[in-house]
Amino acid sequence: FRLRLVTPAGERLPTKIEFSRRKSSAKEVSMDYIDAEIARLCKKVSFQCQHYPGDVTILQKIEELAGRTVTQARDVFDIGILHTGGYAQSRKWHTALPKHLIQQAQENLLTLTFADYNNQVLEFIAVEDRTPYTGSRYWANLQKLVSSILNNGS
């Protein structure tokens, strides 16, 4: 399921909330407060939210890149963000996933185009924050980065 947040004034907030039916164990999930700065930008107070920590999320994102019926550019973007956060550096995830799954993720990565990225990712980034993520050169570099991560496990 997907929801979008729209203010009473009709302003669309660049937010996407997804509900997952993914089965997970309690030890995979964390319960933390939403960053106060983010909450303030949405004119809300911070609250606790259940989420997956980065080391679990990188596994899920690679599995999704490999296994979705329709490959999504957002999985590639998320892997890049997780890499920036230091979660793709660990070889732990690389040994936790079967090689055929990593190979399928690599193949699916190559099917995505800049148009896919532009339509599936940039829409959810605030206009004032998009500059570093725009352009076909950024997308090509992101694909190379994720390909390297998948090939090397780091």
Side-chain angles (χ1 to χ4, degrees), residues 42-72:
C42 296
K43 299 179 175 100
K44 301 290 180 194
V45 295
S46 184
F47 57 91
Q48 277 195 319
C49 183
Q50 189 175 10
H51 69 95
Y52 296 103
D55 58 338
V56 173
T57 304
I58 189 87
L59 289 167
Q60 292 171 349
K61 284 295 171 179
I62 293 168
E63 288 172 337
E64 289 169 0
L65 181 59
R68 285 190 196 271
T69 305
V70 177
T71 305
Q72 298 290 314

Side-chain angles (χ1 to χ4, degrees), residues 2 8 13 20 31 33 40 73 76 86 90 92-93 112 122 131 141 146:
R2 292 184 185 166
L13 299 177
S20 174
M31 189 69 131
Y33 279 92
R40 192 164 18 97
V76 177
S90 170
K92 176 183 170 186
W93 70 263
L112 293 164
L122 288 182
T131 302
N141 288 337
V146 172

Side-chain angles (χ1 to χ4, degrees), residues 67-84:
R68 285 190 196 271
T69 305
V70 177
T71 305
Q72 298 290 314
R74 65 190 168 113
D75 295 327
V76 177
F77 181 77
D78 291 345
I79 292 168
I81 294 295
L82 289 162
H83 175 291
T84 301

Side-chain angles (χ1 to χ4, degrees), residues 66-124:
R68 285 190 196 271
T69 305
V70 177
T71 305
Q72 298 290 314
R74 65 190 168 113
D75 295 327
V76 177
F77 181 77
D78 291 345
I79 292 168
I81 294 295
L82 289 162
H83 175 291
T84 301
Y87 297 104
Q89 307 341 356
S90 170
R91 289 196 175 265
K92 176 183 170 186
W93 70 263
H94 205 265
T95 58
L97 296 172
K99 288 185 193 263
H100 75 278
L101 192 136
I102 296 170
Q103 289 172 328
Q104 186 63 55
Q106 181 74 262
E107 289 173 22
N108 290 352
L109 167 67
L110 299 176
T111 68
L112 293 164
T113 66
F114 174 66
D116 295 324
Y117 168 75
N118 205 30
N119 294 330
Q120 298 170 9
V121 176
L122 288 182
E123 172 186 354
F124 298 100

